[in-house]
Amino acid sequence: IFQIVKANPNLNVSSGTTADSVAVQPDLSNANTFAVHRSGRTKRKVTKTVFTWTVENFRFWYNEANDVKTHLKSPIFSIDTNKESKWCLQMKREYERHPTLGPPIPSQPIYAALAARRRLVYMYISLISSNKPVVHAMAKVELLSSNKIIQTIGPLRQDDFQTITEGSDYTKAPLNINNLFETELTIRCEIDEMDFVNTSGQSKIMRRKVTDTKLSKDLGNLLENGKFSDVTLVVCNLEVKAHKNILAARSDVFAAMFEHNMEESKLNRVLIEDIDYNVLNEMLKFVYTGRAPNIDKMAHELLVVANKYALENLKKMCEDVLSAKLSVKTAAETLALADVYNAGQLKAHTVAYIKNHLTDVMQTQGWQDMIATRSYLMADVLHSFANQQIQT
């Protein structure tokens, strides 16, 4: 059962914010009595960086003869700490014939033709490299002299993101240097890079109210009153009356116990030493009725006994509950639990959760305990994390 997310068409997203969404409740009319509701969200992420480039002796470079290099390039800067996109600013001197002088005259001397040229400086914002095929970016450039803005080059409108590929230029714009009286030029560049990322929501346990069948009620009453019982389960010096045929029909482990000439079959008495009395009662309720009313409170313990007595449906229910309750604090412990009791679905879900919260989970005591006793699980997590990085 999945949550349907409807994006709000009126996106108004600033850096680090997401569009509103409307969660549509799933229809459980045809669902089982027990289900895990998982959800996901796709959001727009905008990452902003500000880069300041100061060019000393700018006038000297601008006024010098042609033997001085015709372009200047800034140091390379990155959008974020992961250095996914690398950018640089460039200024290039270019010449064009002054528009007031008309077309050039073929017989005009070379010195006159040179004198008729107008020297211009163009600013380029260049995407040097990126680990993504295309980058969606928006930039604004400000020229400053004596701490005053003398020119602004920016997008025509808000959210005017452009698609750029590696090695190409975001923009080319002429600089207005007529108002530049200082020898030093400062350029401040703001770049917003936009991407869409997926996140997983917290899973929730969902149930629908189902009328108990008469068979379920009758078997539940049979467990409670102990009529016609033919075997006694003993745990913590407490006895529970049960019925061999029901236990054997529901559990291959109990079936093997009663079919063979074992002590439990001879004495009609089964001593259980590694299960709590309340957990045993909850397990028997499931065996007789197919329901475990208190599973939310003892999913961990019930997973252990479900694995021991080969109660696959109960085991899956426990996996669903534990998956829904995953948190940074419990994730490593749950992963170890899933590994010990061969809970494949729970293990896969927990690895996926840790992958999305890796930094936080690695700081917990549960993570330290896990790698001390089951270090190979760390390899499973890191392998999953590496695959995600390759895919993105």
Side-chain angles (χ1 to χ4, degrees), residues 85-109:
S85 301
K86 296 181 179 180
W87 300 78
C88 80
L89 305 180
Q90 298 187 68
M91 287 191 295
K92 296 182 179 180
R93 292 186 310 182
E94 299 183 13
Y95 296 89
E96 66 177 20
R97 183 173 176 81
H98 200 286
T100 61
L101 298 180
I105 302 172
S107 61
Q108 187 178 32

Side-chain angles (χ1 to χ4, degrees), residues 6-7 30 59-60 78 96 104 109 126 140 145 183 216 234 247 256 287 316 381 383:
K6 178 181 178 184
N30 296 317
R59 278 290 179 182
F60 173 80
S78 301
E96 66 177 20
S126 303
K140 181 176 76 171
S145 178
T183 59
S216 177
V234 183
L247 296 179
V287 168
K316 185 180 183 305
V381 174
H383 178 71

Side-chain angles (χ1 to χ4, degrees), residues 94-380:
E94 299 183 13
Y95 296 89
E96 66 177 20
R97 183 173 176 81
H98 200 286
T100 61
L101 298 180
I105 302 172
S107 61
Q108 187 178 32
I110 186 63
Y111 67 85
L114 292 175
R117 294 189 308 170
R118 182 173 63 169
R119 180 178 297 180
L120 300 175
V121 176
Y122 283 91
M123 166 65 65
Y124 294 81
I125 304 175
S126 303
L127 178 62
I128 303 301
S129 64
S130 177
N131 62 355
K132 292 175 284 190
V134 295
V135 174
H136 303 283
M138 178 176 63
K140 181 176 76 171
V141 176
E142 295 177 337
L143 270 64
L144 295 93
S145 178
S146 301
N147 295 322
K148 294 182 180 180
I149 299 175
I150 60 175
Q151 183 182 1
T152 299
I153 304 170
L156 297 178
R157 61 185 184 274
Q158 188 178 6
D159 285 355
D160 187 19
F161 287 91
Q162 297 185 25
T163 301
I164 310 161
T165 57
E166 182 177 312
S168 62
D169 297 327
Y170 168 81
T171 188
K172 172 187 176 182
L175 300 185
N176 181 10
I177 61 172
N178 295 328
N179 297 325
L180 178 63
F181 301 105
E182 302 293 331
T183 59
E184 183 177 275
L185 175 65
T186 300
I187 301 172
R188 183 166 59 209
C189 178
E190 295 182 8
I191 297 181
D192 292 341
E193 188 172 323
M194 183 265 290
D195 202 356
F196 287 92
V197 296
N198 294 326
T199 58
S200 298
Q202 183 66 39
S203 301
K204 297 180 180 179
I205 302 297
M206 311 220 27
R207 290 188 178 92
R208 66 182 177 98
K209 189 174 182 180
V210 179
T211 303
D212 288 340
T213 64
K214 189 174 187 303
L215 175 62
S216 177
K217 285 183 177 180
D218 291 343
L219 291 177
N221 291 334
L222 190 64
L223 174 64
E224 290 183 8
N225 60 42
K227 287 183 179 180
F228 312 111
S229 63
D230 54 2
V231 66
T232 301
L233 307 181
V234 183
V235 58
C236 301
N237 296 321
L238 299 174
E239 297 183 351
V240 180
K241 300 295 183 180
H243 306 81
K244 287 184 179 179
N245 53 353
I246 295 179
L247 296 179
R250 298 282 278 161
S251 166
D252 290 341
V253 175
F254 279 118
M257 188 184 298
F258 299 140
E259 285 174 356
H260 299 89
N261 192 25
M262 301 177 65
E263 183 177 355
E264 291 86 355
S265 182
K266 293 178 181 178
L267 300 177
N268 296 325
R269 190 176 181 85
V270 180
L271 179 63
I272 302 175
E273 298 180 341
D274 55 352
I275 299 177
D276 180 78
Y277 176 77
N278 293 327
V279 176
L280 176 64
N281 267 327
E282 194 71 14
M283 181 196 79
L284 290 174
K285 288 179 184 177
F286 172 80
V287 168
Y288 278 72
T289 70
R291 291 170 173 77
N294 299 305
I295 191 172
D296 290 351
K297 301 176 182 177
M298 54 181 71
H300 183 145
E301 295 82 359
L302 284 174
L303 176 67
V304 176
V305 298
N307 184 75
K308 177 178 179 179
Y309 291 105
L311 299 169
E312 292 303 320
N313 286 344
L314 177 60
K315 183 176 179 179
K316 185 180 183 305
M317 289 169 60
C318 293
E319 291 185 68
D320 288 338
V321 173
L322 292 170
S323 294
K325 291 185 174 182
L326 278 173
S327 66
V328 169
K329 184 177 180 181
T330 64
E333 179 185 355
T334 302
L335 179 58
L337 178 73
D339 181 67
V340 171
Y341 297 105
N342 195 30
Q345 176 182 296
L346 177 60
K347 183 176 180 180
H349 189 76
T350 307
V351 168
Y353 179 89
I354 295 177
K355 175 185 65 178
N356 294 328
H357 304 82
L358 184 59
T359 302
D360 294 331
V361 173
M362 291 179 67
Q363 297 176 0
T364 64
Q365 184 60 45
W367 177 268
Q368 302 302 322
D369 295 339
M370 185 195 75
I371 61 177
T373 56
R374 294 177 178 83
S375 58
Y376 56 88
L377 293 177
M378 180 173 63
D380 292 342

